[in-house]
Amino acid sequence: MDLKAVRTFVAVVDSGQFQEASAVLGITQQAVSKRIAALEKELGVRLFLRTARGAEPTIDGQAFLPHARELLLAEERAAASVRPGRRALRVDVVGARLGPAGLLRDFHRVHPETALDVVTLFDADTAVAAVRSGTIDATFRAVGPRLPEGLRAARVYDEAVQLLTGPAHPLAGARSVRPAELAGHRIWMPGLVAGTEWAAYYEALAAEFGLTIDSVGPDFGSEALLDTVADSATLATLVAEGIRLVWPAGHDLRRIPLTDPTPVYPHSLVWSAANAHPGLAVLRAHLAARPADRPSSRPWTPAWAVRGSFPAARP
């Protein structure tokens, strides 16, 4: 349906005259008549009766009027959704309970005027492709420096990795544990998926410190993992410091810091250099102003991860 014709129909109803509608729309009266005639032909009904007072909508015209207004309102909403400064900033945070989601919640508290559309994509390849295509504006991911042309990445959050054990585990009473001390202990992480950036991170961690990370077995989610670890004297797992975990009091699980060095998961913000969304600039400035993350000891991260802090003035 021709929305110009629909807009002309509404203008005639509101003004009551074809001549007045032509002045409102900035077109000739003849153009108004042609648009209305074309709309009547498409709908198969007469929309107006010409009277001494001007143009009055027919019964069909009155029935069509509320729908015509809805069509014009939908058109405006559609245009506003992509208009610079009006469309919500669309950001991928990996998972709703993970550290990047916390970063975005902090941003929203400080900048509530920036509309957000938060999504959770599966892996870095999918997220980077979405940034490149414009499906999303940015993503928080662990990535290397070699990105597709036109994309930028800056390290924004080094999230410490912790050991999680049940009360009967040999390391349960430790105040902290060195990564090398985990050699010989079975670390169970059924959520690792080959080919993802988090699997690459933990593969590098295991190789660096001689760890055994077991990803065999179905992943029934975090609750099932916590149940299993709580009941085991041999199984432990690794979790990000910022992840939000809740378990029954009887589980008595222990979150133990890793030190000397502290493995940190290297979250970077990835965006397109050509993206002019004003909210993206605000987000980058907000992240650049964050205090530097300071782990309890010297940090460790894979050699392939993006290095350095967020460049506030970078295009």
Side-chain angles (χ1 to χ4, degrees):
M1 185 171 294
D2 184 356
L3 291 180
K4 289 184 179 179
V6 174
R7 185 174 294 104
T8 302
F9 164 76
V10 172
V12 173
V13 172
D14 289 344
S15 65
Q17 295 184 345
F18 278 49
Q19 184 175 359
E20 289 295 328
S22 70
V24 170
L25 297 172
I27 59 177
T28 65
Q29 185 173 340
Q30 183 180 17
V32 171
S33 297
K34 285 184 177 180
R35 288 182 183 180
I36 296 300
L39 185 60
E40 289 178 330
K41 182 177 181 181
E42 181 178 0
L43 296 174
V45 297
R46 288 190 66 184
L47 296 173
F48 290 103
L49 293 174
R50 291 181 179 271
T51 69
R53 294 187 300 274
E56 294 184 358
T58 62
I59 293 177
D60 289 321
Q62 294 174 36
F64 180 62
L65 180 60
H67 302 291
R69 294 193 190 279
E70 280 296 320
L71 284 172
L72 298 181
L73 181 59
E75 179 195 27
E76 172 57 27
R77 288 171 177 165
S81 72
V82 295
R83 192 173 295 139
R86 297 288 297 276
R87 177 179 63 79
L89 184 69
R90 199 159 197 241
V91 184
D92 163 51
V93 295
V94 188
R97 295 190 300 169
L98 301 179
L103 292 182
L104 209 55
R105 285 194 296 270
D106 290 341
F107 170 72
H108 181 62
R109 281 193 289 268
V110 177
H111 297 281
E113 74 284 356
T114 300
L116 288 175
D117 184 5
V118 182
V119 300
T120 55
L121 301 180
F122 180 65
D123 62 358
D125 289 343
T126 301
V128 167
V131 172
R132 194 178 187 188
S133 68
T135 305
I136 62 175
D137 296 294
T139 180
F140 289 94
R141 292 286 167 172
V143 294
R146 295 184 178 180
L147 290 168
E149 185 177 355
L151 298 192
R152 302 287 184 269
R155 189 98 146 254
V156 295
Y157 180 30
D158 283 354
E159 185 174 14
V161 174
Q162 298 178 329
L163 181 69
L164 184 71
T165 77
H169 193 277
L171 298 174
R175 296 184 62 181
S176 65
V177 174
R178 291 184 295 111
E181 294 180 88
L182 297 179
H185 292 278
R186 185 183 171 202
I187 300 170
W188 191 43
M189 301 186 73
L192 293 183
V193 179
T196 60
E197 71 274 21
W198 59 88
Y201 173 85
Y202 285 106
E203 287 170 7
L205 179 67
E208 180 74 16
F209 299 102
L211 310 185
T212 301
I213 297 181
D214 182 3
S215 61
V216 176
D219 180 14
F220 290 112
S222 61
E223 290 185 3
L225 175 62
L226 297 180
D227 290 344
T228 302
V229 170
D231 291 337
S232 176
T234 59
L235 285 182
T237 193
L238 297 173
V239 296
E241 182 180 38
I243 190 172
R244 300 162 67 99
L245 296 175
V246 179
W247 56 78
H251 278 16
D252 195 20
L253 289 166
R254 318 292 174 84
R255 296 182 73 147
I256 305 168
L258 296 177
T259 59
D260 299 320
T262 296
V264 296
Y265 195 85
H267 298 286
S268 291
L269 185 75
V270 180
W271 75 97
S272 170
N275 190 324
H277 194 298
L280 179 59
V282 177
L283 174 61
R284 289 166 52 197
H286 172 82
L287 294 172
R290 287 183 67 249
D293 303 302
R294 299 186 183 281
S296 57
S297 65
R298 63 184 176 88
W300 175 90
T301 196
W304 50 258
V306 167
R307 302 284 170 179
S309 59
F310 199 99
R314 194 171 182 177

